[in-house]
Amino acid sequence: MTTLAQLTGALARLDREVVYTPQDFDRIARFMHEATGIRLTEANERMVYARLAGRVQDLGLDSFAAYVDLATLALAEEERDRLISSLTTNTTHFYRESYHFDFFAQQILPDIAARGRAGERIRIWSAGCSTGEEPFSIAMCLLQGFPDAAAHDVKILATDIDRAVLARAAAASYPPGSLRDVPKTLIDSCFDAVPGTDHLMPKAPIRAMVTFRPLNLIEPWPFRGRFDVIFCRNVAIYMDGDTQEQIWTGFHRVLRPGGHLFIGHSERLSPSLKGGFTIVGNTIHRRNADPAAGR
Ligand SMILES: C[S@@+](CC[C@H](N)C(=O)[O-])C[C@H]1O[C@@H](n2cnc3c(N)ncnc32)[C@H](O)[C@@H]1O
């Protein structure tokens, strides 16, 4: 229950001006670009104010300039992460762009199951996984067509720059709206009720397929082996062309020849990647063999 003192405090906060200038926005935009590759434009000026003003006030500061000084201090790692988390767009839901999962189940999974059962190492990466709906959708799909996947060397890695969404992904508790695109038959077989809430949680074998890790796509990637499939959907759209190209090039490097890359519905690979991939479906690309290697 909200007390009178809390209410009065909240009203006082609303009254207090937080000074926010175009120069503050420029500094925040520059910081976000350098730290994440995300490009904020003038159209985002109000959004930045709306998402950060409360935090500026909670810290007892009266200007964005003071807040940016604080958050970008070398030692203020936690506040820096919080700032990044406040300004990333984390929208997602289960089976988003469901044609990708149909393609995965029909065109990719039979080969993955055969190779996995033959003892090959199978790795799938959900890059920019947000709160986990995407990698759990992949795991659901995988276990439908390859129910013994866990008995083989098959893993799904799910990464994001935003530690707050990764914490929610690890909790794996989802409101019904997030499951709106999940086929009805799968809801019963793949989810358990979360006691005391109307939320649902993917069943334990689905959760066990996915490992969540923080990873910034614009920093060096720590992988040794290659991936069979990469989903990186609705992440690059917020970045500038050079950063996108750098990320697509990286995916080409870490995908095995014949592996697949799924990107968001409004994203396109940079022209320089044209020879590296073949378009095999709507925003679905198959990595070509390296000509010199002949495979
Ligand atoms: C809109 S969500 C996409 C979620 C999911 N892929 C989908 O399509 O439903 C974009 C995610 O990309 C993450 N992101 C943005 N910049 C990133 C970066 N430089 N490295 C890793 N993740 C990043 C954000 O934190 C956010 O969770």
Side-chain angles (χ1 to χ4, degrees), residues 3-267:
T3 64
L4 186 61
Q6 282 170 331
L7 199 61
T8 316
L11 288 175
R13 273 183 27 177
L14 282 179
D15 266 359
R16 203 157 8 110
E17 264 300 298
V18 178
V19 180
Y20 178 52
T21 67
Q23 290 73 29
D24 298 331
F25 171 76
D26 287 346
R27 280 181 74 196
I28 291 171
R30 221 170 24 247
F31 163 79
M32 280 301 280
H33 185 248
E34 281 165 15
T36 71
I38 294 172
R39 195 168 46 105
L40 298 173
T41 67
E42 275 169 28
N44 301 120
E45 267 190 60
R46 287 173 68 88
M47 178 274 279
V48 167
Y49 183 88
R51 291 199 190 172
L52 295 178
R55 180 64 186 156
V56 179
Q57 289 177 322
D58 285 346
L59 288 169
L61 303 172
D62 59 6
S63 73
F64 269 64
Y67 176 67
V68 181
D69 287 345
L70 178 92
T72 55
L73 271 179
L75 292 176
E77 212 175 307
E78 215 175 290
E79 194 59 44
R80 181 180 176 276
D81 282 354
R82 195 176 181 134
L83 168 58
I84 291 173
S85 177
S86 301
L87 296 180
T88 50
T89 300
N90 308 118
T91 312
T92 186
H93 60 266
F94 283 92
Y95 275 75
R96 181 180 193 185
E97 293 163 39
S98 61
Y99 49 89
H100 281 167
F101 297 96
D102 296 340
F103 187 96
F104 177 76
Q106 289 155 20
Q107 309 290 327
I108 300 179
L109 196 47
D111 175 58
I112 280 186
R115 290 194 296 111
R117 284 174 181 140
E120 278 191 43
R121 171 187 180 279
I122 305 292
R123 292 292 180 272
I124 300 172
W125 180 15
S126 166
C129 63
S130 188
T131 38
E133 289 88 330
E134 179 178 276
F136 286 138
S137 300
I138 300 168
M140 283 161 55
C141 227
L142 184 82
L143 288 174
Q144 292 297 305
F146 184 10
D148 50 325
H152 304 282
D153 188 7
V154 181
K155 294 195 172 101
I156 300 169
L157 172 69
T159 64
D160 203 285
I161 193 174
D162 182 344
R163 288 168 191 266
V165 290
L166 289 173
R168 286 172 55 196
S173 174
Y174 297 100
S178 186
L179 279 76
R180 59 185 177 274
D181 286 348
V182 180
K184 288 261 179 296
T185 49
L186 289 190
I187 294 189
D188 287 343
S189 59
C190 294
F191 289 86
D192 289 324
V194 178
T197 72
D198 64 346
H199 284 203
L200 293 166
M201 174 180 280
K203 285 187 184 287
I206 295 167
R207 285 184 277 127
M209 294 296 310
V210 183
T211 304
F212 291 100
R213 290 271 180 275
L215 185 142
N216 184 348
L217 284 167
I218 69 162
E219 289 177 355
W221 305 343
F223 309 128
R224 265 173 282 148
R226 285 187 166 177
F227 290 93
D228 299 272
V229 182
I230 298 175
F231 283 72
C232 185
R233 308 181 311 155
N234 311 299
V235 179
I237 187 75
Y238 301 103
M239 298 174 174
D240 63 277
D242 287 350
T243 308
Q244 289 190 12
E245 184 167 359
Q246 180 191 323
I247 291 173
W248 305 140
T249 306
F251 289 153
H252 185 266
R253 193 177 58 247
V254 301
L255 260 178
R256 67 167 186 80
H260 288 83
L261 171 65
F262 293 77
I263 64 175
H265 62 283
S266 51
E267 295 166 334

